Amino acid sequence: MDISPIIDAENLTRIYRLGAADVAGLGGVTFRIAPGAFVVLKGNSGSGKSTLLALLGGLDRPTQGRLRVAGFDVFSLNEKDLVRYRRRVVGIVFQSFNLLPTLTVLENVCLPALLAGFPLKPTREKALRWLEWLGMQDRLHHLPGELSGGEAQRTAIARALINEPPVILADEPTGNLDTRNGQRVVEILGTLNRDYGCTVVMATHATVADAVATRQLCLRDGLIVDDQCLQP
Ligand code: ADP
Ligand code: MG
């Protein structure tokens, strides 16, 4: 059976211009990802993982290439539709959490839904459900500065989920966490993949996600050098 891919990238290229020098962040990668996959992006520091995730997230534009995600031709969208894509189609989790420091946990989680135009009451209820599911019910009114790393990352995951995106992108989400909290984050992403059908693309240079991933893409110097199925 031929299942159409949820992510279809063709010759994605990102050259950074630094003065007179060109640095190839991504040297032209072509791949497809099936819906429901859990893809772990591996590769040394500087291999292009963050560059690729930023393109998939619509946070950066390629020098060349095409990208379709969930039916959107991402880089032919106008600015308004690109904002909509970033809010509704992809949920992004970063290594450094990127929570807004002056908003509480609950406010941080609600914000993307309110910006997307959803009304407050159902948004708040949904945020409370996700935060409870993530074990954050006793931290709702804390500020990010009052949270542990694990709690901050679980807040960031709830924020990524609030608009129910079909795709979750995670850039070294365990990089600032101890082993136990890192494993917990991976288990959460694994459950979202298995039980909620989210397609997950997670960059890491560690082996932490190998047990839950269904596929491994290895990058070196901005190119895919290995592509393997994993048995979760
Ligand atoms: P990874 O996430 O795998 O560590 P990156 O995607 O961050 O790799 O970087 C890939 C390459 O692109 C590296 O050589 C890096 O130095 C370069 N690069 C990344 N971001 C920029 C930038 N904003 N300006 C110039 N070069 C960059
Ligand atoms: Mg990186």
Side-chain angles (χ1 to χ4, degrees):
M1 196 171 62
D2 189 22
I3 300 173
S4 61
I6 189 161
I7 299 176
D8 188 347
E10 205 182 298
N11 190 31
L12 267 189
T13 307
R14 177 65 164 98
I15 312 287
Y16 297 105
R17 299 254 131 85
L18 287 180
D22 283 353
V23 178
L26 213 54
V29 296
T30 298
F31 59 91
R32 293 170 158 199
I33 293 175
F38 189 128
V39 179
V40 65
L41 272 184
K42 293 259 183 91
N44 292 336
S45 178
S47 59
K49 303 181 296 296
S50 296
T51 300
L52 176 55
L53 284 174
L55 293 174
L56 295 180
L59 302 172
D60 186 21
R61 283 186 182 269
T63 313
Q64 229 192 98
R66 263 195 60 230
L67 175 67
R68 285 188 73 79
V69 179
F72 291 84
D73 197 340
V74 179
F75 301 114
S76 37
L77 297 175
N78 62 32
E79 201 51 44
K80 183 163 162 275
D81 287 338
L82 189 60
V83 168
R84 201 177 151 84
Y85 169 82
R86 287 197 291 255
R87 288 197 183 129
R88 305 239 182 149
V89 181
V90 289
I92 310 184
V93 180
F94 301 93
Q95 175 171 352
S96 50
F97 322 131
N98 293 10
L99 298 171
L100 291 178
T102 58
L103 298 186
T104 66
V105 164
L106 183 57
E107 289 165 345
N108 264 284
V109 173
C110 288
L111 187 63
L114 300 177
L115 290 173
F118 292 105
L120 179 60
K121 193 159 175 280
T123 295
R124 196 171 183 280
E125 280 161 14
K126 201 196 298 179
L128 289 171
R129 276 202 303 277
W130 279 120
L131 283 165
E132 181 167 6
W133 184 75
L134 291 160
M136 290 293 294
Q137 60 282 352
D138 298 329
R139 297 286 182 278
L140 301 176
H141 306 294
H142 284 55
L143 294 171
E146 300 164 344
L147 302 175
S148 72
E151 290 166 346
Q153 197 57 298
R154 280 181 279 136
T155 304
I157 291 172
R159 178 182 58 181
L161 292 171
I162 193 73
N163 290 337
E164 298 174 4
V167 177
I168 303 280
L169 305 172
D171 193 355
E172 309 264 3
T174 67
N176 282 344
L177 303 179
D178 59 57
T179 309
R180 198 174 61 85
N181 278 295
Q183 272 164 359
R184 185 162 179 192
V185 161
V186 168
E187 279 162 23
I188 290 164
L189 294 175
T191 305
L192 290 168
N193 173 252
R194 248 187 352 266
D195 299 349
Y196 292 83
C198 291
T199 303
V200 177
V201 185
M202 169 179 164
T204 177
H205 52 259
T207 55
V208 57
D210 290 1
V212 295
T214 61
R215 184 170 167 199
Q216 169 172 287
L217 287 178
C218 293
L219 291 175
R220 191 197 299 147
D221 297 333
L223 295 172
I224 295 175
V225 292
D226 189 45
D227 182 351
Q228 290 184 35
C229 286
L230 300 176
Q231 293 302 322

